[in-house]
Amino acid sequence: MSVSELLPERTGSTGRHVLIDCSAPLTEQLIGQVVEVCDELEDADRATYAVLHVEGTAGVREQAWPGEVGIHLVNKWERALRRLERVPAGVLAVAAGECAGPALDLLLAADHRIATADTRLSPAVTAGRLWPGMAVHRLVQQLGVARARRLVLFGTEVTAAEGAELGLFDRVVEDRAGVAAAVESAGALLGGLVGGELAIRRRLLLDATTTSFEESLGAHLAACDRTLRNQSAERA
């Protein structure tokens, strides 16, 4: 499904939507979906956002990820995700049902994560063991070692409520009507950050976990200066 296709029956929102099948193995087509999202958000001539619908089916947890692929395809997938988390526009992820495979990767690369109450999220596994992809790095970076330990070491399934407590989900809603409202609310906030403002804030967040105050100061001052200049331009 092309990211250009709107899915109004899912949320009624005006964002750019794409449905991700979490029961499928890693393929060029799946990578192409993520790349297409990046292409559209990087080329958009106005503030917009993407909504990734991350869904699975019963038994998806038992399916090996990424499947029988070579490391070159894994590398392409990781690079596509890295590009996604750096696009100059908002990325929302909506999880529903049993989610495994690429679900955690995509959720961790998104700016805002919404889950329905029936969501059950499992880290990707292969040959009965946790897949050691960059989701491990993002989990530790975003949640901290203590919160990530249970997922990383044991591949424990997480419910929507547990995910919200851990910080994996920003909002849990009961039904599709709740998803629509949550997407519109988050999309309005993310869509208001024009140009590279969102990308700059993401970078400051990520760098804060790995750099000292002194090393970060210059980047924060540059971001503050950019904001002040934009405010002056708006008042003129």
Side-chain angles (χ1 to χ4, degrees), residues 181-194:
V183 167
E184 286 295 337
S185 175
L189 291 173
L190 292 174
L193 293 170
V194 298

Side-chain angles (χ1 to χ4, degrees), residues 72-230:
H72 67 284
L73 200 63
V74 175
N75 185 38
K76 288 182 68 174
W77 170 247
E78 295 291 2
R79 290 181 180 277
L81 290 171
R82 185 59 168 166
R83 184 180 169 193
L84 180 67
E85 63 184 359
R86 289 181 165 185
V87 292
V91 178
L92 282 70
V94 177
E98 293 193 26
C99 300
L104 183 59
D105 277 331
L106 292 164
L107 286 165
L108 291 172
D111 298 302
H112 190 81
R113 306 150 194 167
I114 301 165
T116 56
D118 66 342
T119 297
R120 303 185 72 85
L121 175 66
S122 299
V125 296
T126 183
R129 294 184 292 273
L130 179 80
W131 174 246
M134 287 300 290
V136 174
H137 175 85
R138 291 186 177 93
L139 276 171
V140 175
Q141 188 179 56
Q142 296 180 28
L143 306 185
V145 174
R147 285 177 172 263
R149 182 181 292 111
R150 181 161 58 102
L151 286 166
V152 172
L153 294 183
F154 308 113
T156 308
E157 183 182 76
V158 174
T159 66
E162 291 169 339
E165 184 178 352
L166 285 171
L168 282 172
F169 300 125
D170 298 294
R171 188 168 177 181
V172 177
V173 296
E174 291 299 322
D175 51 30
R176 292 295 180 186
V179 169
V183 167
E184 286 295 337
S185 175
L189 291 173
L190 292 174
L193 293 170
V194 298
E197 293 300 320
L198 183 59
I200 290 172
R201 282 161 174 74
R202 285 199 207 102
R203 183 63 181 269
L204 295 176
L205 276 170
L206 295 175
D207 286 352
T209 63
T210 58
T211 59
S212 68
F213 178 91
E214 289 73 17
E215 292 173 319
S216 299
L217 181 59
H220 282 268
L221 289 176
C224 291
D225 183 60
R226 179 188 176 94
T227 299
L228 292 172
R229 289 175 182 273
N230 287 340

